[in-house]
Amino acid sequence: MHLYLEVDVPLSEHEQRLLEQIERALVDDDPKFASTVRTGDRRQKARRKLQLGAALVVVGLAVVVGGVALPNVIVGVLGFLVAFGGAVLGVLNYKAATGEVPAGSAPGPAGRPAAGGRGGSSSAKSRRQPLKSRLEERFRRRYDQ
């Protein structure tokens, strides 16, 4: 069973200000990382690779059929390799392109899978929390001081 979630929830003004402050702090702390994160949507790139993979499968199968029609083994083998490469490209990018949530994991906030159990040491806890939660917690601690 596959579970697909894509939830668009508008942010309140307070949340938008917090997000803008977090973004500014990120740019101030590490501008290189911030520019890397901003460069593009990973899901869009994965979708392009998935489409390229599907196109390669179709072209590869056409070349295989051409190799059979021409009784040429080399052309058939090349067509198979192109189709196989396209299938591999598609399979490797399917999860990132569709945003599929693994079955059995309950969605957490913003449609992401929930983190594991709570408790334990603070370093173990921070490793299990998503980056957004850690940044929000850090910002709140700074704001409270």
Side-chain angles (χ1 to χ4, degrees):
M1 180 174 125
H2 297 289
L3 178 64
Y4 298 96
L5 290 175
E6 192 165 317
V7 180
D8 292 330
V9 179
L11 297 175
S12 69
E13 288 182 31
H14 175 68
E15 290 170 333
Q16 288 176 351
R17 281 189 306 238
L18 285 175
L19 184 59
E20 288 171 3
Q21 289 174 351
I22 291 170
E23 287 174 353
R24 280 191 299 245
L26 176 63
V27 170
D28 292 342
D29 289 346
D30 194 352
K32 184 177 179 184
F33 175 72
S35 67
T36 302
V37 171
R38 262 194 231 138
T39 56
D41 183 19
R42 289 183 189 149
R43 187 177 289 175
Q44 187 176 14
K45 289 178 184 178
R47 283 182 186 147
R48 285 188 196 133
K49 288 181 182 179
L50 183 64
Q51 291 169 348
L52 176 63
L56 285 174
V57 168
V58 170
V59 168
L61 290 177
V63 172
V64 167
V65 170
V68 170
L70 294 175
N72 192 339
V73 176
I74 295 174
V75 172
V77 170
L78 288 175
F80 173 77
L81 291 175
V82 169
F84 182 74
V88 168
L89 186 65
V91 168
L92 291 176
N93 288 289
Y94 177 77
K95 187 175 180 181
T98 59
E100 177 182 336
V101 176
S105 64
R112 293 189 183 107
R118 303 280 184 227
S121 68
S122 64
S123 63
K125 182 179 177 185
S126 67
R127 274 187 248 127
R128 281 181 267 173
Q129 288 181 336
L131 176 63
K132 180 182 172 191
S133 297
R134 290 192 310 250
L135 288 172
E136 287 175 346
E137 185 177 338
R138 196 166 119 197
F139 177 78
R140 285 188 190 118
R141 277 185 278 167
R142 284 184 186 171
Y143 187 76
D144 291 339
Q145 290 178 353

